[in-house]
Amino acid sequence: MSNDPVLITGSAGFIGYHLAAELLNQGRRVVGFDNFNDYYDPALKEARNARLETSPNFTCVRGDLADFDRVKEVFDTFAFADVVHLAAQAGVRYSLTHPFAYVQANLAGFVNILEAVRHSNCSRLLYASSSSVYGGNTKLPFAESDRVDNPISLYAATKKANELIAHSYSHLYGITTIGFRFFTVYGPWGRPDMAMWIFADKISKGIPIPVFNHGDMRRDFTYVDDVIQGLVNALNATDLKKYDLFNLGNHQSEKLLDLIELIEQSIGKKAILDLQPIQPGDVPATFADVDHARELLGYAPATPISVGVPKFIDWFNDYHAKQ
């Protein structure tokens, strides 16, 4: 690995925090960029960042990716070997009510990063796409070669737009851009807006949990350590194409009700189910074909939900006990 620092945008976010921690553990210098917004509790982001700042090899930069002057200032200050762009406005349902947040963060912010990269000596850009780009596809498992031109949420559309914009920059300017379609990532230090946290919180408190599509949902739940392995392997790879896309999932499509049962077992309380119809923007099933990542990145997801869920609940209980 290069001695030059790596930039991680969204370093106070869930995946960004874990990637930064792993690279610091490997001796890399890391610059984190985050705006610490209030989409979910900023205290959680501050807690993640505080852990990273215990390393002398970590520098935190606070700023908004939609502010190009701030982005350019960071690139002018540091000579980045690699950029991992994980910052985004997340959430399918939130995009139904806050569309402009997605335009600013996921479109304007993404172009700002690409412009900064192309005017620097950075060797490549890794960036977060999403399994949501598969939209209304019904063929399972989802493969990178599948058509993804039918997004069913604005969030998904912005992520597909990222892939298209990255392709144009690779073609025009020779930038190496590698996108990752994440599949329902969970684990310690996870996000409070995601089902795993919501279910754990409400089950613990004896509050009914919303279960959409009357429970007939399947998701490819992917433990965060497996995703980080894929990202680190991509950073270490020397023979990737100028432009490529990879699914990072667990290659298992799990029933939502099975997940809830595991959370019940780990917490020691039964859930009260509030069965509801499927929500706008939701898809009934996700399932990642990870053969491409196995072949080129040596990606090998190894954490079933029977192992990952108890680990998350252990962290969840410990985190709340300290609040």
Side-chain angles (χ1 to χ4, degrees), residues 127-131 133 155 159-160 163 179-182 245:
Y127 66 94
S129 184
S130 167
S131 62
V133 301
Y155 171 68
K159 286 301 186 177
K160 176 55 182 173
E163 296 178 359
F180 298 90
R181 294 171 175 172
F182 297 131
L245 295 165

Side-chain angles (χ1 to χ4, degrees), residues 114-134:
L114 279 166
E115 277 294 298
V117 167
R118 87 174 177 97
H119 290 292
S120 73
N121 293 319
C122 173
S123 61
R124 61 189 152 186
L125 170 68
L126 278 59
Y127 66 94
S129 184
S130 167
S131 62
S132 68
V133 301
Y134 291 106

